[in-house]
Amino acid sequence: MNLTAIWAIYRFEMARALRTVTQTVVSPVLSTSLYFVVFGAAIGSRIQEVEGVSYGAFIVPGLIMLSVITQSISNASFGIYFPKFIGSIYELLSAPASFLEITAGYVLAAATKSLTIGVIILITAFFFVDLRIQHPVWMVVFLVLTCLSFSLFGFIVGIWATNFEQLQLVPLLLVQPLIFLGGTFYSISMLPGVWEQVSLFNPVVYLVSGFRWSFYGMADVALGWSLLAIFGFTGLCVAIIGLIFRTGWRIRD
Amino acid sequence: MPAIVSVKNLTKRYDSGTHALKDVSLDIEDGEILALLGPNGAGKTTLISCICGIASATSGTVTVDGHDNVRDYRAARRLIGLVPQEINLEPFETVMNTVRFSRGLFGKAPDDAHLERVLRQLSLWDKKDSQVRALSGGMKRRVLIAKALSHEPKVLFLDEPTAGVDVGLRKEMWDTVSDLQKHGVTIILTTHYIEEAEAMADRIGVISGGEIKLVRDKAGLMRELGRKRFVIELGEAVDMLPAALKDYRLERAAGGCELVYTYDTQGDGTGIRRLLNDLSAAGITARDVRTEQSSLEDIFVDLVDGEGRS
Ligand SMILES: Nc1ncnc2c1ncn2[C@@H]1O[C@H](COP(=O)(O)OP(=O)(O)OP(=O)(O)O)[C@@H](O)[C@H]1O
Ligand SMILES: [Mg+2]
């Protein structure tokens, strides 16, 4: 195991984040605050409570998920796409490091960044609403696993993409709708019958539900399903990455 | 000398269909400097890419110090430093961090003293805190070299290291390369400058159309080049040479209007005066004479001619 290589990649990627700290930290905090103002204040004045939790507090887990998922994908996909784009990937390919180690370096760095943002948003939220966290350990488990699995997913997107448009395409056309329709700002039980059923095909529902449960003990789906979803998704991403690296797809001529 | 890198029957066909390497076999000796010459598209970069793990070979094997570069890639790659042809650098990082990254990636413990030596040797030390994008083209190329040297490779591949480097620095770079050789590093470089191959290499390989056309030690090649051709233009064409001139092994050229005499500049006495005497004795009159010396360039062009540059 070339741990030194993992560490080298991790540090290099974290340095990139620190160089652009305003973008990395300030912008998610700003946009989350906007969400609080728009959803919490405007809509919250109409929907007072969801199952006993104030609407402002209800949307906090969903907001964190929204930021953490988007950030994980964009960080990790950019992290591996950029060396491909400028050609510096030659060094990764010629290094005595396995693909597993290379992936670990990039994915851990991307997950660290999005986790940091998640925590910052959580802290910001304390200033706006009255937050309780009933199951802090599960909260951390869900948060960390979401960061990791969507960073893995973003890494795949970055390898797949052959231009900058494609890099934006998956987050924009696939992930964004899934997140917004995934019960981020509402409980899916608030939807008319058939849409509630349709929502159950959206994997994000399970993540948001499990995460919200760790805060308020309320869930749209059973906790077991949420855990299965997050572990299943992580496993699937790992398997795909393994396959990509075995075949050298879109990496090695 | 034993081979440190051994390439056997290497074939590379890109997905696009280009047959970039055709059954290439090549042994690179421990401690030598090998220069690879060849026209654009000959397959030099592809050969290096297959050895270093950037491209995967269609068939054939590569071993580095006995380690197969696929099955035992860690051991093989640890020994190799690569300076690519294109300037592929992370633009926003500083020189020092870029070089540190390379060392870490190759699994070496941090050693800033070594990195300082490398950067000083390449006249980059005063740029160590500059962002890469703020450097000139020649400096960026030296950063690539510094990255390759950061992890103390035993074998160094330099793909056109002096492209875009000014004359003064080019000479310095040659010195750096021979200095590395003194420290036991084996060096493979590609170049379009024949003078560069002449100045640095122990052996010279010519590659064209995906095939190795020749690998020879430079000394032998130069000895061959040491031969001069003495060309005699005749007043009128001759069909047959008189028997008296047989010993000179003359060649008829230009439809018999010229006679070519080849002699060794290193030998004692060229025999030209005697030849001219014997010619006039045989009744052949010379209108004009000239001497020609072939260079590496001629050999190169001869070998590559008719291959069609791609
Ligand atoms: N990634 C690639 N995909 C498809 N074809 C390629 C690729 N890289 C190189 N080739 C083709 O393979 C052949 C050999 O190219 P290569 O880059 O090895 O030549 P070279 O000897 O390094 O040339 P130069 O002196 O211009 O650097 C060329 O015909 C080139 O078009
Ligand atoms: Mg080339």
Side-chain angles (χ1 to χ4, degrees):
Chain A
M1 194 76 171
N2 186 350
L3 289 175
T4 324
I6 300 180
W7 178 235
I9 295 173
Y10 183 84
R11 274 223 327 213
F12 203 71
E13 285 303 297
M14 292 311 285
R16 187 201 307 286
L18 289 178
R19 272 198 306 274
T20 53
V21 71
T22 344
Q23 270 175 48
T24 320
V25 175
V26 176
S27 66
V29 170
L30 197 70
S31 61
T32 314
S33 306
L34 283 175
Y35 277 120
F36 275 123
V37 173
V38 174
F39 286 95
I43 299 176
S45 62
R46 285 159 186 266
I47 313 170
Q48 256 101 44
E49 283 191 348
V50 183
E51 296 172 40
V53 178
S54 79
Y55 184 70
F58 175 83
I59 62 170
V60 169
L63 272 182
I64 295 176
M65 276 288 166
L66 172 69
S67 296
V68 153
I69 290 175
T70 347
Q71 288 291 325
S72 296
I73 295 176
S74 73
N75 284 333
S77 62
F78 185 79
I80 188 65
Y81 179 75
F82 193 57
K84 242 175 48 165
F85 178 68
I86 62 170
S88 62
I89 196 167
Y90 84 88
E91 202 175 21
L92 298 173
L93 296 177
S94 63
S98 71
F99 285 126
L100 190 75
E101 289 151 1
I102 293 171
T103 311
Y106 280 101
V107 166
L108 288 176
T112 307
K113 285 181 243 175
S114 49
L115 186 65
T116 311
I117 289 162
V119 170
I120 291 173
I121 293 174
L122 186 64
I123 294 167
T124 315
F126 274 105
F127 291 103
F128 286 91
V129 292
D130 178 26
L131 271 186
R132 291 168 281 138
I133 304 174
Q134 283 186 12
H135 310 284
V137 176
W138 283 111
M139 195 277 287
V140 171
V141 169
F142 270 109
L143 193 58
V144 169
L145 275 179
T146 306
C147 290
L148 279 175
S149 58
F150 280 89
S151 296
L152 283 167
F153 179 72
F155 192 80
I156 297 172
V157 172
I159 287 178
W160 164 79
T162 50
N163 56 46
F164 274 102
E165 281 80 54
Q166 290 185 345
L167 207 59
Q168 306 293 342
L169 211 62
V170 174
L172 209 64
L173 290 187
L174 183 70
V175 181
Q176 203 115 304
L178 285 182
I179 297 175
F180 276 95
L181 301 175
T184 319
F185 299 111
Y186 53 85
S187 158
I188 60 167
S189 63
M190 292 158 83
L191 295 172
V194 59
W195 288 110
E196 187 178 347
Q197 300 301 314
V198 171
S199 294
L200 293 177
F201 288 100
N202 180 352
V204 176
V205 166
Y206 297 84
L207 300 184
V208 173
S209 164
F211 194 49
R212 191 177 286 135
W213 169 85
S214 72
F215 279 76
Y216 308 121
M218 58 156 96
D220 286 338
V221 292
L223 178 65
W225 286 113
S226 294
L227 286 173
L228 198 68
I230 186 82
F231 280 108
F233 184 58
T234 313
L236 185 69
C237 290
V238 170
I240 292 174
I241 286 175
L243 198 67
I244 288 176
F245 283 153
R246 200 147 329 119
T247 56
W249 181 71
R250 296 235 164 136
I251 310 176
R252 187 165 268 145
D253 283 322
Chain B
M1 262 193 285
I4 182 118
V5 178
S6 184
V7 178
K8 287 208 172 62
N9 307 106
L10 195 69
T11 297
K12 174 64 187 176
R13 209 186 274 277
Y14 283 107
D15 291 341
S16 62
T18 310
H19 205 169
L21 292 176
K22 299 167 186 161
D23 199 33
V24 168
S25 293
L26 174 68
D27 275 347
I28 297 160
E29 288 162 15
D30 196 3
E32 76 169 331
I33 298 181
L34 174 70
L36 282 176
L37 292 167
N40 289 141
K44 302 180 294 296
T45 301
T46 304
L47 176 60
I48 293 178
S49 299
C50 287
I51 297 174
C52 298
I54 290 160
S56 42
T58 309
S59 65
T61 58
V62 175
T63 56
V64 184
D65 205 13
H67 307 287
D68 186 283
N69 82 334
V70 178
R71 259 180 295 114
D72 198 5
Y73 69 93
R74 277 186 207 268
R77 291 186 195 166
R78 224 182 283 278
L79 302 169
I80 295 179
L82 166 64
V83 180
Q85 180 174 3
E86 309 280 336
I87 295 178
N88 305 319
L89 285 167
E90 166 82 39
F92 305 108
E93 224 359 305
T94 63
V95 170
M96 191 62 179
N97 282 345
T98 306
V99 175
R100 259 192 208 125
F101 169 73
S102 300
R103 189 174 168 89
L105 196 59
F106 276 72
K108 286 273 163 81
D111 182 353
D112 281 359
H114 172 73
L115 299 185
E116 179 175 344
R117 268 196 306 280
V118 168
L119 290 178
R120 280 190 191 281
Q121 192 176 23
L122 293 163
S123 326
L124 282 172
W125 182 244
D126 56 336
K127 295 285 177 190
K128 68 180 190 334
D129 297 318
S130 306
Q131 280 197 353
V132 167
R133 64 175 170 163
L135 302 181
S136 75
M139 291 176 191
K140 285 181 189 151
R141 191 164 291 283
R142 280 179 279 145
V143 172
L144 286 175
I145 299 177
K147 278 163 80 72
L149 293 179
S150 69
H151 50 86
E152 303 162 63
K154 258 185 78 69
V155 184
L156 182 63
F157 287 89
L158 297 161
D159 202 352
E160 299 191 28
T162 53
V165 173
D166 68 50
V167 179
L169 272 172
R170 183 172 297 176
K171 294 268 152 41
E172 262 179 47
M173 210 172 270
W174 293 357
D175 292 341
T176 309
V177 168
S178 54
D179 203 52
L180 286 167
Q181 185 186 31
K182 282 195 202 89
H183 287 89
V185 180
T186 307
I187 291 144
I188 298 90
L189 59 97
T190 72
T191 177
H192 288 285
Y193 305 110
I194 287 164
E195 25 143 12
E196 190 160 282
E198 280 189 29
M200 286 200 280
D202 299 312
R203 283 200 306 161
I204 291 173
V206 175
I207 178 168
S208 173
E211 291 173 65
I212 300 254
K213 298 288 178 185
L214 157 155
V215 185
R216 285 281 299 278
D217 66 304
K218 189 181 63 181
L221 215 51
M222 296 314 278
R223 218 173 300 121
E224 207 157 287
L225 298 178
R227 296 168 84 78
K228 271 194 174 176
R229 289 148 52 90
F230 183 67
V231 182
I232 305 149
E233 284 180 38
L234 302 177
E236 48 199 79
V238 291
D239 295 331
M240 275 249 295
L241 289 169
L245 299 173
K246 196 165 67 71
D247 287 347
Y248 292 104
R249 272 177 291 196
L250 296 171
E251 291 165 51
R252 290 189 326 123
C257 289
E258 288 183 1
L259 294 176
V260 181
Y261 170 62
T262 310
Y263 64 97
D264 194 343
T265 49
Q266 257 102 51
D268 27 56
T270 58
I272 289 177
R273 185 197 298 262
R274 205 155 44 83
L275 169 65
L276 288 175
N277 284 339
D278 287 351
L279 274 177
S280 59
I284 298 174
T285 50
R287 199 160 54 113
D288 201 357
V289 295
R290 64 173 192 273
T291 57
E292 289 174 352
Q293 181 163 31
S294 54
S295 65
L296 251 183
E297 207 144 356
D298 294 331
I299 294 195
F300 178 71
V301 170
D302 275 356
L303 281 165
V304 163
D305 230 21
E307 292 287 335
R309 293 163 185 232
S310 46

